[in-house]
Amino acid sequence: MKKEAHITVQDLTMAYGSFLIQKDLNFSIHRGDVFIIMGGSGCGKSTLLRHLVGLKSPSQGRVFYGDISFWEADPFEQDRIMRRIGILYQSGALWSSMTLAENVALPLQQYTNLTPPQIQEVVSLKLSLVGLSGFEEFYPSEISGGMRKRAGLARAMAMDPEILFFDEPSRAWIPSAPDAWMI
Ligand SMILES: Nc1ncnc2c1ncn2[C@@H]1O[C@H](COP(=O)(O)OP(=O)(O)OP(=O)(O)O)[C@@H](O)[C@H]1O
Ligand SMILES: [Mg+2]
């Protein structure tokens, strides 16, 4: 049985201004697929992710969710699609002034009608799924890079998304501050 295409990338060209990143990409991702994109540093993996999750529009080409062309859809439709996805960013991208529990709770507070106790329950469940039970009240600066990545994963899963995007899920997070290298 032929599986239905979930995401289709059609003739996608990505560029920052006149700086071409990749040209004429074509591929489909089907329901139930685990789809992996590999390539050297700087080849455009994170940039491609940005095109798939609505953060950067293509220079040319289309990104389809089902039969809807994302970048040609109206904002309401785009928002509906975006609510179906969860994203784990390459750096974790947690809010540094918020605890892990507050970070994971944020999408639930913004996009659901759950009560605070219900949110707390979901937050505890998601943090336990990534092995971070007991770290609810820690701030991102108080945990390791790998733990930050896992907390980012808990946040990506907060809304039980249909599609999960991971940018470098297995690579250790490399801090840019020189003193952070001294371990
Ligand atoms: N905001 C930006 N403005 C201009 N150029 C950018 C921007 N972000 C990335 N680039 C450039 O686009 C290219 C692709 O970057 P990208 O971050 O997509 O690579 P990557 O494949 O994810 O690399 P890595 O494996 O190191 O994460 C790089 O040459 C980078 O310098
Ligand atoms: Mg990257």
Side-chain angles (χ1 to χ4, degrees):
M1 193 177 80
K2 192 169 177 294
K3 285 195 288 181
E4 181 191 345
H6 210 169
I7 301 172
T8 307
V9 167
Q10 191 183 76
D11 302 328
L12 180 70
T13 294
M14 313 185 295
Y16 291 98
S18 60
F19 184 31
L20 180 69
I21 307 297
Q22 292 281 343
K23 197 165 169 284
D24 296 334
L25 299 179
N26 285 281
F27 60 88
S28 295
I29 306 172
H30 297 88
R31 274 178 205 281
D33 281 356
V34 174
F35 191 90
I36 298 172
I37 294 166
M38 293 171 74
S41 180
C43 75
K45 302 178 297 294
S46 296
T47 301
L48 175 59
L49 184 78
R50 275 177 225 135
H51 285 76
L52 297 182
V53 304
L55 292 173
K56 182 161 176 26
S57 59
S59 291
Q60 281 177 42
R62 295 189 170 96
V63 175
F64 287 93
Y65 278 83
D67 53 9
I68 297 168
S69 172
F70 181 85
W71 290 102
E72 289 164 310
D74 64 55
F76 176 79
E77 189 71 49
Q78 288 181 332
D79 191 59
R80 213 176 57 82
I81 292 170
M82 289 304 96
R83 283 178 191 223
R84 290 162 50 202
I85 72 175
I87 310 162
L88 171 63
Y89 292 97
Q90 189 162 0
S91 63
L94 298 169
W95 293 99
S96 60
S97 61
M98 293 173 132
T99 64
L100 301 193
E102 287 168 344
N103 266 284
V104 179
L106 198 60
L108 298 162
Q109 288 161 349
Q110 299 226 307
Y111 297 116
T112 73
N113 294 320
L114 295 177
T115 63
Q118 288 169 328
I119 289 179
Q120 208 179 340
E121 201 175 316
V122 177
V123 167
S124 295
L125 171 69
K126 300 298 174 181
L127 283 171
S128 74
L129 284 174
V130 299
L132 287 175
S133 280
F135 289 91
E136 283 81 357
E137 302 312 317
F138 282 62
Y139 285 88
S141 60
E142 297 172 324
I143 57 174
S144 74
M147 289 164 85
R148 272 193 285 272
K149 201 102 195 203
R150 285 189 277 139
L153 178 58
R155 186 180 58 185
M157 296 192 302
M159 301 273 291
D160 291 324
E162 205 179 302
I163 309 164
L164 261 176
F165 289 98
F166 301 100
D167 197 352
E168 307 247 18
S170 61
R171 186 198 258 188
W173 185 73
I174 301 170
S176 53
D179 59 351
W181 291 84
M182 292 163 39
I183 297 285

